[in-house]
């Protein structure tokens, strides 16, 4: 992906500085090696510099897997560019491998001719054994000939750099990741200031640790500058993104910030109930710091309690929300049904991960769409929205609440592990431009005889929302079938049919109150590619490339999964063929075929990894014929 | 000492004000009727307007209760009432929240929520209608059914060791624990009233007769002939005395156990166990909860009533503390937090 351009700025120390458009870097090492931390630093430095950035943190499910083992490898990939990008990149330009296990599990993704930086001292007998290498791969000439290899004695150089600070060897080695980062900073001409500030504030209470990390970082930069091994370094100029003020954001951060913003701007309390689960827990962590925005967080005893307490909080008249992942969403099913039956507003966040069962806790997948659609007993359709990327979570979580409160029903918000942990630059919106929820609680009886009619509906078929404590509106509701208008228990055949139809109609009507679906590319043509959720970036990039190659391809990305936008059928029927790439076995495709009788084809993958752009380009081009 | 009584802004309410317009559908002579009647007696005495009550229940015959009280009410799903009520109380701490549950609802499917609500000491009153049977599903044994109980699902007798609801609640360090019987109208009223006034989770077990599937399960505690020998009333600061002629007492014996003693002769009232509902240590209350028929008379009344900060109160305090520390949340500042940069 890295393409050299002319016009490189002046060189230093006799070393050339070449301009590149886009670079993909991956740091990998042991889970204790601090790879997520340096990856994040490089992301920040690149974003602050003005590049467009996308990231893909990939960590093991085990917290402390045995050191040096293959399954304990933690990786952080980032892509930064001088133009807008939508994915963290396919093939890696520079791979930093801190030990043999990291090399073994990641080398396949390094481009031919790419840069390989290894901590050669870890390629000793025990390190090689733990990675199940029979011979040292660094001695494998055919393998190494494929790359520009830099064997760096990082441990020794780094220990020397921090000498005299009184750190133990272990303490000194803890800074090695910053040595590696420093080297990469030199290689990619990055300004280290933001990282230096980070080190100073993060370890503010431990001056020796600050000093050690700063020294490691500088030692790494100096190493690149002074050794002969590196003859060239690279510069990626800033991207021309839309003007404005930016920050970096992950999907989970955006959800939490969106909820805190909503609480404040609507003057309502957000009651968040959750039970910890990867990759959703960060939403609970972040929100628990936002109490001063009017957010109450409750770590429940399990997901059943989390969901049940949401129903209680919604009944009590506040904005209830819960977040979980597949296994937890399964547990919430029955209480979601209660929320549906009592027609109360609340939002259920599903940060999807690889399933079934405990599955792949730290890996991404889009396989809960049908669970969201149908995972409850009885006829119980619920609106579903799906965010397309980290920043989009901020507005879509608020959109979910708009729908929930306008239509009085639970709404499911789908995210996934890739969106939740991935970061991107986010243009900070103006507070004045943000939406405000318009919520009116009924204040006086709505019946002709001064009685309260709990299921008397408005033109959107929504029933009134009453805040307990309001005089004269005392009423009882529950999960038993109710009589329309009064809300009294009623099991009669005609009424159940009527209520079932009404609940479904209410959800279907939402299609009239959401934006129409848009298409990138020609309005008619040969191939339409439909994506949803976290695959937006990869699919969009791939379609752009196919279009550039002259193919008649258009792309549409769904954020409203139930009901679908009202013009979707017309769009589907404007192309000869429809392709639905998904990180599941064909769940959206099933829904599309079912609703529109369209012969959509799928491209499906469940490897716990996002799509690569290249694979999609190939699939699309082949499908196009 | 004279006390200034607060003037209540709300009109004085009466029992009938709490009757809803719904037809009560329990079986004739079901114990639930009496509990409903006593509840409707107690509610108007609390000085709380009707609209500030919220009744939450699970599923079971007992859990139909909220439909029959003219307050706010939420009929939930099986076992989850404490969790639902937690949400209600978190969102709206001003409501007085009552949870109505059954022995299956609270201790079988909902055991987890029951424990956690209690340990958090959420300000709610939990009334468990213990009929030692699954009523609504027509007569299977429950987690409180005694070993040997014949039911639809245990034609040869139950082989499960039962739970004692009070022991469970005390084990979870409940701050208020009490027991009463459906037909003991005065006592039940007193217990409900005390529960209503408790701040924190108030747990009340009511022996309730399911006259269809488990009739007479508690006859020892309700029938004139047996009652005085098989129950003992707890009164704070008073010795535990029972028997037709108040001739028997409960004494603490060596080895942290209790024994029945005959009064008169050597043994004086002063030698008996004096009830203290306010000891912070739950061991005494636990010991009392272990007194079961037929070995011991079963205690009735308030086992334990201690003070501890409530969960909902602490939540509110943390919110206030966060506001005091960081000021009122500022969206502008929030969105602009962290590293930012300009693209021009
Ligand atoms: C999830 C679920 N499982 C099972 C049931 C069926 N069910 C309803 S009530 C009940 C038992 C009720 O017994 P208890 O809680 O003792 O209440 P009672 O009817 O005796 O008052 C059962 C098993 C249900 N409603 N929901
Ligand atoms: S089945 Fe038993 S508990 Fe249920 S209403 Fe009838 S008597 Fe009461
Ligand atoms: Mg029962």
């Amino acid at each position: 992906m890295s393409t050299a351009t002319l016009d490189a700025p002046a060189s230093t120390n006799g070393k050339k500085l070449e301009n590149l458009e886009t670079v993909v870097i991956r740091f990998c090492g042991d889970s204790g090696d601090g790879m997520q931390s340096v990856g994040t630093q490089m992301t920040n430095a690149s974003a602050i510099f003005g590049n467009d950035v996308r990231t893909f943190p990939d960590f093991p499910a085990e917290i402390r897997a045995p050191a040096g083992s293959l399954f304990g490898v933690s990786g952080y990939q980032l892509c930064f560019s001088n133009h807008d990008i939508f994915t963290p990149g396919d093939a890696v330009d520079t791979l930093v491998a801190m030990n043999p296990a990291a090399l073994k599990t990641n080398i396949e993704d390094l481009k031919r001719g790419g840069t390989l930086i290894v901590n050669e001292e870890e390629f000793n007998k025990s390190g090689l054994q733990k990675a199940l290498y029979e011979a040292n791969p660094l001695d494998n000439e055919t393998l190494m000939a494929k790359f520009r290899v830099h064997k760096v004695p990082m441990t020794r150089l780094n220990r020397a750099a921090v000498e005299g600070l009184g750190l133990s060897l272990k303490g000194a080695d803890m800074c090695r990741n910053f040595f590696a980062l420093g080297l990469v900073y030199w290689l990619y001409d990055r300004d280290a200031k933001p990282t230096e500030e980070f080190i100073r504030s993060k370890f503010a209470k431990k001056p020796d640790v600050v000093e050690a990390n700063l020294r490691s970082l500088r030692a790494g930069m100096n190493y690149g500058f002074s050794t002969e091994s590196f003859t060239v370094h690279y510069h990626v100029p800033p991207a021309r993104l839309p003007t404005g003020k930016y920050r970096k954001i992950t999907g989970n951060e955006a959800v939490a910030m969106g909820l805190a913003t909503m609480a404040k701007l609507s003057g309502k309390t957000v009651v968040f109930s959750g039970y910890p689960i990867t990759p959703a827990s960060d939403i609970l962590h972040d929100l628990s710091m936002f109490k001063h925005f009017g957010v109450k967080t409750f770590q429940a005893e399990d997901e059943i309690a989390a969901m049940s307490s949401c129903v209680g909080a919604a009944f009590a008249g506040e904005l209830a929300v819960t977040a979980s992942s597949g296994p937890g969403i399964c547990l919430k099913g029955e209480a979601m049904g209660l929320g549906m039956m009592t027609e109360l507003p609340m939002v259920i966040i599903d940060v999807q991960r690889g399933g079934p069962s405990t599955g792949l806790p730290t890996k991404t997948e889009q396989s809960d769409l049908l669970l969201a659609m149908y995972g409850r007993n009885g006829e119980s359709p619920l609106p579903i929205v799906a965010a397309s990327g980290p920043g989009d979570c901020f507005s879509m979580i608020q959109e979910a609440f708009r729908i929930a409160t306008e239509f009085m029903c639970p709404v499911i918000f789908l995210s996934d592990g890739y969106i939740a942990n991935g970061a991107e630059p986010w243009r900070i919106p103006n507070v004045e431009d943000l939406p405000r929820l318009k919520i009116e609680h009924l204040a006086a009886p709505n019946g002709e005889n001064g009685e309260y009619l709990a299921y008397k509906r408005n033109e959107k078929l929504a029933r009134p929302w009453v805040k307990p404590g309001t005089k004269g509106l005392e009423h009882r509701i529950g999960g038993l079938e109710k009589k329309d208008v009064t809300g009294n228990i009623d099991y009669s055949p005609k009424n159940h049919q009527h209520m079932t139809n009404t609940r479904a109609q209410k959800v279907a009507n939402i299609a009239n109150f959401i934006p129409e679906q848009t298409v990138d590319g020609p309005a008619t043509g040969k191939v339409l590619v439909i994506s949803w959720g976290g695959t937006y970036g990869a699919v969009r990039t791939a379609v752009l490339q196919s279009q550039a190659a002259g193919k008649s391809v258009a792309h549409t990305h769904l954020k409203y999964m139930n009901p679908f936008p009202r013009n979707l059928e017309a769009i589907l029927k404007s192309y000869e063929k429809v392709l639905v790439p998904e990180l599941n076995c064909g769940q959206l495709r099933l829904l599309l075929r079912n609703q529109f009788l369209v012969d959509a084809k799928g491209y499906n993958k469940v490897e716990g990894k996002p799509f690569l752009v290249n694979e999609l380009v190939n699939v699309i081009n082949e499908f196009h014929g | 000492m004279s006390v200034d009584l607060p003037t209540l802004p709300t009109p004085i309410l009466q029992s009938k004000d709490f009757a809803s317009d719904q037809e009560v559908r329990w079986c004739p002579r079901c114990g639930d009727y009496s509990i409903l009647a006593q509840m409707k007696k107690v509610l108007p005495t609390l000085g709380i307007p009707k609209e500030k009550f919220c009744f939450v229940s699970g599923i079971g015959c007992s859990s139909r209760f909220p439909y029959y009280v003219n307050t706010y009410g939420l009929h939930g799903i099986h076992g989850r009432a404490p969790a639902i009520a937690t949400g209600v109380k978190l969102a709206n701490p001003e409501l007085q929240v009552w949870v109505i549950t059954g022995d299956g609802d609270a201790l079988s499917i909902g055991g987890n929520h029951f424990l956690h609500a209690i340990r958090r000491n959420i300000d709610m009153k939990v009334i468990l209608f213990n009929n030692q049977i699954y009523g609504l599903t027509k007569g299977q044994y429950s987690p409180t059914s005694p070993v040997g109980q014949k039911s639809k699902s245990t034609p040869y007798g139950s082989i499960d060791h039962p739970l004692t609801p009070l022991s469970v609640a005390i084990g979870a360090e409940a701050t208020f624990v009490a027991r009463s019987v459906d037909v003991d109208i005065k006592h039940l009223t007193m217990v409900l009233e005390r529960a209503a006034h408790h701040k924190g989770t108030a747990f009340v077990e009511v022996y309730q007769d399911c006259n269809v599937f488990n009739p007479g399960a508690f006859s020892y505690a309700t029938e004139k002939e047996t009652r005085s020998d098989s129950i003992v009333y707890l009164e704070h600061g008073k010795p535990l005395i029972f028997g037709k002629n108040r001739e028997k007492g409960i004494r603490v014996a060596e080895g942290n156990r209790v024994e029945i003693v005959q009064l008169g002769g050597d043994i004086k009232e002063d030698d008996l166990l004096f009830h203290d509902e306010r000891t912070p240590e739950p061991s005494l209350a636990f010991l009392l909860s272990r007194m079961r028929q037929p070995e011991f008379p079963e205690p009735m009344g308030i086992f334990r009533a201690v003070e501890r900060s409530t969960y909902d109160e602490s939540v509110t305090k943390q919110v206030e503390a966060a506001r005091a520390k960081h000021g009122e949340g500022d969206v502008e500042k929030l969105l602009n937090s962290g590293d930012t940069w300009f693209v021009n």
Side-chain angles (χ1 to χ4, degrees):
Chain A
M1 194 181 276
S2 59
T3 26
T5 55
L6 297 171
D7 242 5
S11 60
T12 42
N13 195 24
K15 302 201 171 184
K16 271 203 306 200
L17 184 64
E18 276 178 19
N19 263 354
L20 296 177
E21 289 187 0
T22 301
V23 170
V24 179
I25 298 183
R26 188 184 295 169
F27 295 93
C28 51
D30 217 46
S31 24
D33 275 341
M35 294 295 99
Q36 303 301 322
S37 167
V38 292
T40 308
Q41 285 311 308
M42 180 97 195
T43 306
N44 287 354
S46 304
I48 293 171
F49 176 69
N51 293 134
D52 199 6
V53 192
R54 292 294 183 281
T55 74
F56 178 44
D58 189 22
F59 31 83
E62 292 74 18
I63 304 298
R64 282 279 177 267
S69 66
L70 291 168
F71 58 93
V73 173
S74 168
Y76 190 105
Q77 178 169 324
L78 75 145
C79 176
F80 52 99
S81 172
N82 73 345
H83 56 259
D84 49 345
I85 49 173
F86 304 101
T87 76
D90 292 3
V92 174
D93 295 308
T94 290
L95 180 71
V96 179
M98 301 298 279
N99 66 15
L103 182 80
K104 192 171 201 178
T105 47
N106 288 277
I107 190 75
E108 253 182 43
D109 297 334
L110 181 59
K111 264 186 198 166
R112 246 168 192 275
T115 302
L116 173 66
I117 299 173
V118 294
N119 179 6
E120 69 170 342
E121 285 160 306
E122 289 293 310
F123 287 71
N124 51 23
K125 199 164 162 225
S126 110
L128 293 168
Q129 246 168 20
K130 284 183 208 149
L132 311 178
Y133 268 125
E134 280 172 9
N136 190 341
L138 302 182
D139 298 337
N140 178 341
E141 282 176 20
T142 18
L143 179 67
M144 292 300 123
K146 293 182 186 164
F147 314 113
R148 280 185 271 175
V149 185
H150 300 279
K151 302 178 200 171
V152 185
M154 268 185 223
T155 306
R156 183 165 55 78
L157 291 173
N158 181 63
R159 283 182 189 172
V162 301
E163 207 177 291
L165 290 174
L167 296 188
S168 62
L169 285 186
K170 204 172 155 218
D173 289 352
M174 298 270 281
C175 309
R176 263 184 320 204
N177 57 336
F178 279 100
F179 182 95
L181 182 66
L183 178 52
V184 174
Y185 275 7
W186 177 81
L187 189 59
Y188 289 102
D189 194 33
R190 283 284 90 119
D191 183 359
K193 258 192 221 100
T195 302
E196 290 170 354
E197 272 161 32
F198 162 80
I199 291 172
R200 285 198 189 95
S201 80
K202 162 125 204 213
F203 304 110
K205 290 199 181 113
K206 298 177 193 154
D208 51 334
V209 177
V210 170
E211 182 57 24
N213 280 303
L214 289 178
R215 282 201 204 172
S216 298
L217 185 69
R218 270 178 238 139
M221 295 176 80
N222 290 339
Y223 181 80
F225 179 79
S226 48
T227 56
E228 280 169 13
S229 156
F230 291 91
T231 52
V232 196
H233 62 151
Y234 307 95
H235 181 78
V236 178
R240 276 173 293 274
L241 298 172
T243 58
K245 192 175 177 190
Y246 281 75
R247 58 167 286 158
K248 191 195 65 167
I249 204 161
T250 67
N252 279 346
E253 277 169 1
V255 165
M257 278 172 37
L259 289 171
T261 299
M262 184 184 74
K264 183 70 203 191
L265 296 185
S266 63
K268 298 282 294 174
T269 301
V270 164
V271 178
F272 178 94
S273 305
Y275 186 75
I277 185 168
T278 305
S281 303
D282 281 337
I283 299 174
L284 168 63
H285 306 162
D286 285 1
L287 275 175
S288 61
M289 294 185 297
F290 296 155
K291 295 193 187 340
H292 52 307
F293 286 83
V295 176
K296 289 180 179 171
T297 53
F298 171 55
Q299 182 174 318
E301 56 271 25
D302 58 29
E303 286 88 350
I304 300 175
M307 191 64 232
S308 300
S309 61
C310 277
V311 176
F315 181 71
E318 299 299 347
L319 301 170
V321 50
T322 182
S324 189
S325 191
I329 301 296
C330 289
L331 291 180
K332 289 177 198 286
E334 192 194 8
M336 281 162 71
L338 178 64
M340 200 250 171
M341 199 70 165
T342 49
E343 301 192 36
L344 288 165
M346 64 200 78
V347 172
I348 299 101
I349 300 169
D350 179 358
V351 186
Q352 302 165 91
R353 67 187 213 185
S357 187
T358 310
L360 286 68
T362 59
K363 310 288 176 197
T364 198
E365 210 163 276
Q366 298 183 295
S367 44
D368 291 351
L369 178 59
L370 294 182
L371 172 67
M373 272 301 278
Y374 301 119
R376 293 163 296 282
N377 60 307
E379 296 292 347
S380 51
L382 291 180
I384 306 167
V385 298
S388 62
D392 192 43
C393 288
F394 180 82
S395 35
M396 283 315 275
I397 190 69
Q398 299 185 60
E399 173 68 350
F401 264 104
R402 177 191 68 85
I403 296 172
T405 51
E406 244 175 73
F407 292 86
M408 290 296 284
C409 57
V411 173
I412 299 173
F413 171 95
L414 294 176
S415 169
D416 63 44
Y418 174 69
I419 297 178
N421 293 317
E424 67 182 12
W426 182 58
R427 190 149 63 115
I428 300 170
N430 278 328
V431 176
E432 307 82 67
D433 300 342
L434 294 174
R436 266 74 173 164
L437 287 182
K438 288 184 242 28
I439 292 169
E440 278 172 43
H441 291 292
L442 192 70
N446 56 353
E448 281 177 8
N449 305 316
E451 77 278 38
Y452 170 53
L453 301 169
Y455 279 68
K456 187 175 160 189
R457 300 169 188 279
N458 66 13
E459 68 290 351
K460 288 179 178 154
L461 298 180
R463 70 177 200 88
W465 195 12
V466 165
K467 222 173 141 56
T470 310
K471 198 174 161 71
L473 300 184
E474 297 85 0
H475 66 284
R476 277 77 40 201
I477 53 173
L480 292 170
E481 183 60 287
K482 295 173 204 37
K483 196 169 173 50
D484 205 5
V485 186
T486 65
N488 290 333
I489 299 171
D490 185 344
Y491 305 142
S492 63
K494 288 269 180 313
N495 178 67
H496 180 51
Q497 182 75 58
H498 170 71
M499 290 298 274
T500 302
N501 296 351
T502 307
R503 287 186 289 261
Q505 191 60 51
K506 179 171 85 165
V507 173
N509 284 354
I510 294 171
N512 297 320
F513 298 89
I514 56 175
E516 289 204 350
Q517 186 66 20
T518 57
V519 174
D520 287 317
T524 59
K526 196 148 182 203
V527 172
L528 176 72
V529 184
I530 301 197
S531 57
W532 69 278
T535 56
Y536 169 72
V539 176
R540 167 140 169 100
T541 314
V543 170
L544 283 173
Q545 289 184 19
S546 286
Q547 287 170 345
K551 307 283 179 190
S552 167
V553 187
H555 175 213
T556 192
H557 183 83
L558 286 170
K559 300 214 287 184
Y560 294 87
M561 311 306 295
N562 192 41
F564 287 129
R566 54 198 176 280
N567 61 332
L568 183 61
E569 180 163 18
I571 292 176
L572 285 170
K573 306 224 155 136
S574 305
Y575 300 85
E576 282 170 39
K577 302 205 273 186
V578 176
L579 177 68
V580 193
E582 294 178 86
L583 297 174
N584 59 35
C585 295
Q587 303 197 0
L588 171 63
R589 179 164 46 106
L590 184 134
L591 296 178
L592 293 173
R593 292 174 79 108
N594 172 51
Q595 280 198 30
F596 305 117
L597 279 175
V598 51
D599 187 18
K601 297 285 193 267
Y603 175 66
N604 301 91
K605 188 171 106 166
V606 282
E607 296 180 357
K609 289 196 278 194
F611 283 127
L612 299 179
V613 172
N614 267 344
E615 80 178 299
L616 289 178
V617 172
N618 291 340
V619 167
I620 294 168
N621 290 349
E622 198 171 301
F623 186 69
H624 183 279
Chain B
M1 195 176 77
S2 78
V3 183
D4 284 335
L5 286 173
T7 42
L8 295 176
T10 36
I12 304 300
L13 294 168
Q14 296 176 341
S15 179
K16 66 176 180 353
D17 294 316
F18 284 90
S20 79
D21 59 354
Q22 299 299 299
E23 185 194 339
V24 185
R25 297 222 188 147
W26 289 311
C27 306
R29 293 195 301 281
C30 172
D32 293 356
Y33 283 99
S34 169
I35 309 177
L36 175 64
Q38 304 338 308
M39 182 68 82
K40 284 197 286 194
K41 247 190 247 164
V42 170
L43 294 179
T45 68
L46 300 175
I48 299 174
K50 249 181 6 176
E51 65 272 15
K52 299 280 185 203
F53 288 102
C54 185
F55 278 79
V56 180
S57 63
I59 299 290
C61 294
S62 38
S63 287
R64 289 294 185 98
F65 193 97
Y67 287 115
Y68 308 138
V69 198
N70 188 16
T71 63
Y72 284 95
L74 188 48
H75 182 212
I77 44 177
H78 198 21
R80 320 299 172 199
I84 297 171
T86 299
V88 170
K89 192 71 188 172
L90 276 179
N92 196 339
E94 284 173 16
L95 299 174
Q96 180 170 108
V97 178
W98 292 75
V99 168
I100 305 295
T101 182
D103 40 322
D105 196 59
L107 297 169
S108 193
I109 193 166
N112 199 27
H113 312 305
F114 177 73
L115 284 183
H116 290 279
I118 289 177
R119 99 178 146 82
R120 293 189 183 106
N121 199 30
I122 295 166
D123 187 18
M124 57 169 83
K125 334 290 160 205
V126 181
I127 315 300
L128 189 155
F129 294 23
N130 185 3
N131 52 14
Q132 297 186 343
I133 198 85
Y134 284 4
L136 192 70
T137 46
K138 301 200 163 81
Q140 302 81 4
Y141 78 115
S142 92
T144 57
S145 302
V147 171
Q149 172 148 334
K150 291 204 169 151
S151 76
K152 279 224 179 88
S153 55
T154 51
Y156 300 113
S158 151
I159 52 175
D160 294 25
H161 186 75
L163 281 174
T164 302
L166 292 182
S167 299
V168 176
I170 295 165
E173 296 178 42
T175 53
F176 182 98
V177 179
R179 179 193 281 147
S180 192
V181 195
D182 52 7
V183 291
D184 195 344
I185 293 173
K186 264 203 185 135
H187 189 262
L188 178 57
T189 309
M190 180 277 288
V191 167
L192 292 177
E193 223 171 67
R194 284 286 310 273
H197 288 291
H198 179 73
K199 217 159 115 269
T201 308
F203 174 65
V204 179
E205 174 190 26
V206 184
Y207 286 169
Q208 174 244 325
D209 192 49
C210 169
N211 130 69
V212 174
F213 296 110
N214 198 16
F218 302 103
S219 57
Y220 61 87
T222 56
E223 296 310 306
K224 242 202 171 120
E225 312 81 71
T226 49
R227 196 171 62 194
S228 44
D229 282 327
S230 49
I231 60 174
V232 50
Y233 287 104
L234 300 175
E235 284 179 85
H236 182 66
K238 304 237 172 97
L240 271 69
I241 299 176
F242 67 107
K244 267 191 198 72
N245 306 308
R246 293 180 56 80
E247 75 284 10
K248 290 182 276 190
I250 300 292
R251 186 169 76 172
V252 179
E254 249 173 62
N256 198 22
R257 46 182 198 90
V258 289
E259 61 184 5
I260 298 172
V261 289
Q262 290 290 327
L263 284 170
D266 288 353
I267 299 174
K268 306 267 168 334
E269 281 195 13
D270 276 355
D271 299 325
L272 298 180
L273 168 59
F274 278 66
H275 184 49
D276 180 359
E277 60 188 37
R278 295 181 205 148
T279 25
E281 205 356 78
S283 310
L284 173 65
F286 189 79
L287 200 60
L288 294 175
S289 77
R290 303 313 300 156
M291 291 169 55
R292 305 299 317 251
Q293 276 285 293
E295 295 80 22
F296 288 103
E298 295 184 350
M300 293 288 157
I302 320 294
F303 285 58
R304 178 171 160 81
V306 298
E307 276 180 35
R308 173 149 60 86
S309 64
T310 68
Y311 184 83
D312 34 294
E313 208 173 58
S314 306
V315 166
T316 308
K317 271 193 197 145
Q318 276 200 340
V319 170
E320 282 164 7
R323 287 201 158 113
K325 186 167 171 206
H326 306 289
E328 191 57 40
D330 180 341
V331 174
E332 185 83 40
K333 242 171 60 196
L334 172 70
L335 302 186
N336 286 277
S337 58
D339 291 330
T340 58
W341 66 95
F342 283 96
V343 172
N344 297 315

